[in-house]
Amino acid sequence: MQSSGHRFRDVEHHPLLTENDSYDSSSSEADMADRVWFIRDGCGMVCAIMTWLLVVYADFVVTFVMLLPSKDFWYSVINGVLFNCLAVLALSSHLRTMLTDPGAVPKGNATKEYMESLQLKPGEVIYKCPKCCSIKPERAHHCSICKRCIRKMDHHCPWVNNCVGEKNQRFFVLFTMYIALISAHALILCGFQFFSCVRGQWIECSDFSPPVTVILMIFLCLEGFLFLTFTAVMFGTQIHSICNDETEIERLKSEKPTWERRLRWEGMKSVFGGQPSLLWINPFAGFRIRRLLLRAKKGGPEFSV
């Protein structure tokens, strides 16, 4: 990897590990692929649980306060199926973002033996992260919460209790998209419900009393508005970053690209994989339950903090 000026801001210069220094071989790339990724961060776990509870609350209000009491059967069925499908896709995307290795560099691989195996050319420069003792690839940044260097790290998001990086950015984009969609759907249903209740003078408007119905719907409107605003902005910034092949950290640090940039559709295809298809919006694509169970049997969470 050729030396570049902006890399010196991220890396301190320390000697490589000697033969006597410890290096856990269980953190190799092959073993990393066979273990479950989960970050034991208190704030992140609380935020992740809150995300699920808020989605469940929205589903409860939409289903039991607005749709089931409705006299229009097809209105209830269509909107109920649509909302619940979007909610399942949103929570599935959240799980995949949280439990997918974002692109962690093996910890402690800066050994003399590993260096010799790279067969570096004269004048070729590499960097070692002093915090996790790993060879730092280009565009990798160290996360103080995950305690790892993450390839193409965009940012650490407490709401998914994980970094957003090279391997899970696709799922994070889907998460923000589906949350924005169910938030917009909930706001539209709230508008129709308020109009219907006011027109019918709150008679047979809901199985709950009018004050309780109003309170539940007001909280849902506030939640929907905040989630829609946040996730829509985040979705837009993520798509912009992908199309410009520039992470949020690189943008904030004004790092000049030393890599061959993949712009627009090339960037989208590199993140979502292959040509545009329905697989792009499917958070279950590539998921194997049997492989996940095998990973769990091999030692549980490998990358816990």
Side-chain angles (χ1 to χ4, degrees):
M1 181 168 55
Q2 198 65 28
S3 174
S4 55
H6 70 275
R7 300 283 292 166
F8 287 91
R9 293 198 295 256
D10 299 333
V11 185
E12 297 176 20
H13 293 279
H14 288 253
L16 294 172
L17 294 177
T18 63
E19 295 180 7
N20 296 326
D21 290 329
S22 61
Y23 169 55
D24 185 7
S25 60
S26 64
S27 296
S28 64
E29 291 279 5
D31 201 39
M32 284 167 57
D34 292 329
R35 295 183 183 268
V36 176
W37 176 278
F38 182 74
I39 301 299
R40 292 181 184 174
D41 174 58
C43 176
M45 289 189 288
V46 169
C47 289
I49 293 173
M50 284 181 58
T51 301
W52 276 67
L53 292 178
L54 289 171
V55 173
V56 171
Y57 169 78
D59 187 70
F60 169 79
V61 176
V62 167
T63 303
F64 293 98
V65 178
M66 293 189 283
L67 296 182
L68 288 182
S70 176
K71 296 180 179 180
D72 191 333
F73 174 77
W74 289 111
Y75 172 83
S76 299
V77 170
I78 293 174
N79 282 286
V81 170
L82 178 60
F83 188 89
N84 281 278
C85 285
L86 291 174
V88 168
L89 291 170
L91 294 178
S92 300
S93 301
H94 182 272
L95 273 180
R96 302 257 357 225
T97 307
M98 182 170 62
L99 301 179
T100 299
D101 174 7
V105 179
K107 184 184 291 186
N109 67 348
T111 62
K112 184 177 179 180
E113 293 81 2
Y114 181 73
M115 289 294 302
E116 292 175 349
S117 68
L118 294 177
Q119 298 180 347
L120 299 174
K121 299 178 181 179
E124 199 168 4
V125 179
I126 61 173
Y127 298 97
K128 170 194 168 184
C129 176
K131 299 176 182 177
C132 58
C133 295
S134 62
I135 300 299
K136 195 170 187 179
E138 189 175 28
R139 305 188 71 184
H141 293 84
H142 186 87
C143 175
S144 59
I145 299 176
C146 296
K147 297 181 180 178
R148 285 296 187 89
C149 283
I150 308 296
R151 294 185 179 91
K152 288 185 66 177
M153 176 180 169
D154 188 85
H155 67 287
H156 185 95
C157 179
W159 296 104
V160 297
N161 189 33
N162 201 1
C163 277
V164 177
E166 185 178 63
K167 295 183 180 179
N168 68 346
Q169 187 176 25
R170 167 180 171 241
F171 302 121
F172 182 74
V173 172
L174 293 182
F175 168 67
T176 57
M177 181 183 74
Y178 286 124
I179 290 294
L181 288 176
I182 64 172
S183 298
H185 192 191
L187 289 173
I188 293 172
L189 291 176
C190 281
F192 279 115
Q193 187 71 9
F194 272 119
F195 178 76
S196 176
C197 291
V198 171
R199 186 177 60 179
Q201 297 181 349
W202 299 92
I203 299 175
E204 298 182 356
C205 174
S206 172
D207 293 337
F208 297 86
S209 64
V212 173
T213 301
V214 171
I215 292 174
L216 291 174
M217 292 176 62
I218 287 177
F219 275 112
L220 179 59
C221 287
L222 291 174
E223 176 191 341
F225 176 76
L226 292 175
F227 266 50
L228 175 61
T229 303
F230 175 77
T231 55
V233 171
M234 185 60 69
F235 175 78
T237 57
Q238 286 293 302
I239 295 298
H240 180 267
S241 296
I242 293 172
C243 290
N244 287 278
D245 195 12
E246 182 182 47
T247 66
E248 187 65 17
I249 291 179
E250 292 164 351
R251 186 187 67 81
L252 292 175
K253 290 187 174 183
S254 300
E255 296 184 353
K256 296 181 180 179
T258 58
W259 58 92
E260 184 179 352
R261 302 181 74 170
R262 299 177 179 178
L263 303 179
R264 298 180 177 85
W265 279 113
E266 290 301 318
M268 294 289 289
K269 287 190 287 186
S270 68
V271 171
F272 289 91
Q275 296 296 325
S277 67
L278 291 178
L279 293 177
W280 278 23
I281 59 174
N282 179 13
F284 301 103
F287 180 71
R288 298 290 184 272
I289 296 179
R290 184 177 179 183
R291 185 178 180 184
L292 182 63
L293 293 176
L294 288 175
R295 287 180 178 181
K297 290 180 181 179
K298 287 188 177 183
E302 166 69 7
F303 309 109
S304 56
V305 176

